[in-house]
């Protein structure tokens, strides 16, 4: 993650010699990103708190809701990690906080990002099965299986990233905390590299599978559209077409980060790389990481567009609140256009 000072030279004797002599230029990340992250944090906190409250009242009656609830928890945790990044990037926090970010909160941030990625993939798979085999039941379409699968996803990423926390065990100094890689032992840096390649593999696999599911869904939607059009019913196309939102959100938020992450990880671990290029890769990684973080604000859109019980819960409460206002203050006009099923 980002830096607290404008430039830094990092003494990393065992891991990345070229990185050791390169001053990190944080002119952009020092000012712009804390502002951008603050916006994401505030919006993410409001939207996800609202979603938490709504989902708290919705029983887990389908695999879709189970996955959405897990994404919500993951997004909430990611949102809570943002203030630490904002404080250290802007230089407002003490340098010791940056060591905590490198060892703990940045790792949790990445964990939640990949947990959301896999869960979005599972949702796409779930939608795919619903549309392709509406009456058949696979074992994955069973509630208990979905709960077990979601728990395994959490467990997998937590176990995978634990060494990233443990092996960032070099003594932290105001200089060394500026690049997280410099807190790592040789083994720590290797593990960091391996984890990044595993995560790249997971992301591109999920992306390709999603694309495949949606091509098949698109074909089905088109077929049913041409059938229903004759009967003058185009609403089915609109309903099924909504599932494409998941893919669009997924692609816009995560693909740019994964393009920039490979060369950036190389710059952290390879022996030789031009210093200017290293700094450019750092800015590219930070910019695309911000885009990935905006996912915490995008996911509530998925709940709104695709999860009917969620919409009903939010709107029904609005009606109740309005009714209460009218009861306590009869002069207030009730907007009769609002109905619990409005979407
Ligand atoms: N995909 C990942 N999964 C888990 N932890 C990660 C992942 N990528 C990076 N990390 C960990 O997050 C911390 C910050 O990494 P990084 O953003 O690369 O550093 P920097 O802030 O110096 O650019 C490091 O401890 C790193 O090992």
């Amino acid at each position: 993650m980002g830096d607290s000072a404008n430039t830094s030279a990092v003494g990393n004797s065992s891991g990345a010699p070229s990185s050791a002599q390169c001053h990190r230029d944080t002119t952009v990340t020092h000012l712009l990103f804390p502002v951008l992250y603050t916006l994401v944090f505030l919006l993410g906190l409001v939207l996800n708190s609202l979603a938490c409250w709504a989902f708290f009242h919705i029983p887990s009656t389908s695999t879709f809701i189970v996955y959405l609830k897990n994404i919500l928890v993951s997004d909430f945790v990611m949102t809570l990690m943002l203030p630490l990044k904002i404080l250290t990037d802007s230089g407002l926090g003490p340098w010791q906080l940056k060591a905590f970010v490198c060892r703990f909160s940045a790792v949790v941030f990445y964990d939640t990002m990949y947990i959301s990625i896999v869960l979005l993939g599972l949702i796409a798979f779930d939608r795919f099965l619903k549309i392709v085999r509406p009456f058949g039941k696979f074992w994955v379409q069973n509630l208990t299986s979905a709960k077990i699968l979601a728990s395994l996803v959490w467990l997998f990423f937590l176990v995978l990233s634990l060494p990233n926390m443990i092996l960032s065990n070099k003594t932290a100094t105001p200089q060394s905390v500026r690049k997280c890689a410099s807190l790592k032992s040789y083994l720590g840096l290797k593990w960091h590299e391996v984890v990044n390649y595993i995560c790249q593999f997971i992301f591109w696999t999920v992306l390709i599978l999603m694309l495949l599911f949606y091509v098949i869904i698109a074909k089905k939607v088109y077929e049913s559209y041409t059938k229903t059009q004759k009967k003058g019913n185009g609403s089915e196309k609109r309903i099924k077409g909504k599932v494409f939102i998941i893919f669009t959100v997924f692609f816009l938020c995560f693909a740019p980060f994964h393009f920039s992450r490979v060369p950036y990880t190389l710059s952290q671990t390879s022996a030789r790389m031009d210093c200017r290029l290293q700094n450019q890769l750092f800015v590219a990684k930070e910019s695309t990481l911000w885009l990935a973080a905006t996912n915490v604000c995008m996911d509530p859109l998925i709940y709104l567009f695709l999860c009917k019980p969620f919409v009903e819960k939010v709107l029904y409460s609005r009606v109740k609140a309005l009714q209460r206002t009218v009861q306590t203050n009869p002069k207030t006009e009730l907007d009769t256009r609002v109905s619990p099923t409005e979407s």
Side-chain angles (χ1 to χ4, degrees), residues 1-2 24 102 106-107 110 114 161 164 168 179-180 184 192 195-196 199 261 264 268 282 285:
M1 289 192 153
R24 178 169 276 182
C102 285
V107 182
Y110 284 112
Y114 286 99
S161 64
N164 277 343
S168 294
K179 284 181 178 178
C180 293
K184 293 183 184 293
H192 165 78
V195 166
N196 267 285
C199 288
R261 184 73 225 199
Y264 179 71
Q268 289 178 305
F282 171 66
K285 170 254 183 180

Side-chain angles (χ1 to χ4, degrees), residues 1-3 24 85 98 101-111 113-114 157 160-161 164-165 168 177-182 184 188 191-193 195-196 199-200 257 261 264-265 268 282 285-286 289:
M1 289 192 153
D3 257 357
R24 178 169 276 182
K85 179 167 172 57
K98 182 67 206 288
V101 168
C102 285
R103 288 176 178 142
F104 180 73
S105 74
V107 182
V108 173
F109 175 92
Y110 284 112
D111 269 343
M113 182 166 119
Y114 286 99
F157 284 105
L160 187 74
S161 64
N164 277 343
M165 299 184 185
S168 294
V177 293
R178 290 172 178 174
K179 284 181 178 178
C180 293
S182 62
K184 293 183 184 293
W191 189 268
H192 165 78
E193 194 178 7
V195 166
N196 267 285
C199 288
Q200 278 285 336
F257 172 74
R261 184 73 225 199
Y264 179 71
T265 306
Q268 289 178 305
F282 171 66
K285 170 254 183 180
E286 283 296 306
L289 191 64

